[in-house]
Amino acid sequence: MTGVLERESGLSLEELKTKMADFARDRDWDQFHSPRNLLLALVGEVGELSEIFQWRGEVPRGLPDWEEEEKQHLGEELSDVLLYLIRLADVCGVDLGKAALAKLELNAIKYPPHLCKGSSKKHTQIITTTTTTTTTEGESKSIGVDFLTKKQNQ
């Protein structure tokens, strides 16, 4: 996999997907890259990423108190997670870029800013209903009513 460091930024998911597929094919690893195996490898890498933060308490943005070596290690583990995720999506036939954009759109609907701004409540604690009312002219009109609710004990 030569030329990996030729570009410093702006690499697309599609380019990473191609590089990962080439990397696996060059080593004859496609035989091992089943969705299950890739998922388990991804989970393992998420565990390694978690270990970096374990026992540190809250960590401020930008990691101002971290040594450069620690930040480099973090970058390596984040990269492992990203690369396995991209490979898993590829093997499963999921266009990760499109799926991510669709998920962002869904989350925008589930978490409207006028209800969620500054709140950490889950979408199940936000209810949006549509009510039909009659105008003074006798016409039926649907209006949306949004409100927050406390989650019921289950």
Side-chain angles (χ1 to χ4, degrees):
M1 198 152 98
T2 60
V4 173
L5 298 177
E6 290 173 4
R7 274 173 67 173
E8 291 185 21
S9 65
L11 201 60
S12 72
L13 290 176
E14 190 64 34
E15 290 168 310
L16 285 172
K17 179 178 90 169
T18 300
K19 287 184 179 296
M20 284 298 294
D22 292 346
F23 186 87
R25 186 178 43 258
D26 290 348
R27 288 155 181 79
D28 194 23
W29 286 354
D30 284 326
Q31 61 184 321
F32 308 116
H33 284 190
S34 67
R36 176 191 171 276
N37 287 347
L38 289 167
L39 175 61
L40 292 175
L42 174 62
V43 169
E45 294 301 337
V46 168
E48 290 181 27
L49 177 60
S50 299
E51 286 176 345
I52 294 172
F53 289 93
Q54 189 174 15
W55 314 122
R56 287 184 181 253
E58 281 300 320
V59 177
R61 288 177 180 234
L63 313 175
D65 300 329
W66 287 34
E67 301 292 328
E68 195 55 42
E69 188 176 285
E70 292 173 306
K71 289 182 181 182
Q72 181 177 345
H73 182 218
L74 174 61
E76 291 169 0
E77 296 306 332
L78 285 167
S79 297
D80 285 340
V81 169
L82 175 65
L83 293 172
Y84 271 120
L85 181 63
I86 290 170
R87 183 69 174 146
L88 176 61
D90 183 27
V91 168
C92 290
V94 173
D95 182 326
L96 196 54
K98 284 183 183 178
L101 289 175
K103 184 62 176 177
L104 281 172
E105 289 177 14
L106 179 62
N107 284 345
I109 294 166
K110 287 167 51 173
Y111 296 99
H114 67 282
L115 293 179
C116 299
K117 194 169 191 170
S119 173
S120 63
K121 292 186 184 293
K122 186 149 174 61
H123 75 277
T124 54
Q125 296 175 294
I126 301 166
I127 297 176
T128 303
T129 60
T130 302
T131 305
T132 303
T133 62
T134 305
T135 65
T136 54
E137 294 81 28
E139 300 172 349
S140 293
K141 183 177 180 182
S142 294
I143 59 170
V145 179
D146 300 323
F147 56 93
L148 293 174
T149 184
K150 291 184 180 178
K151 189 170 183 170
Q152 301 294 321
N153 292 334
Q154 297 176 349

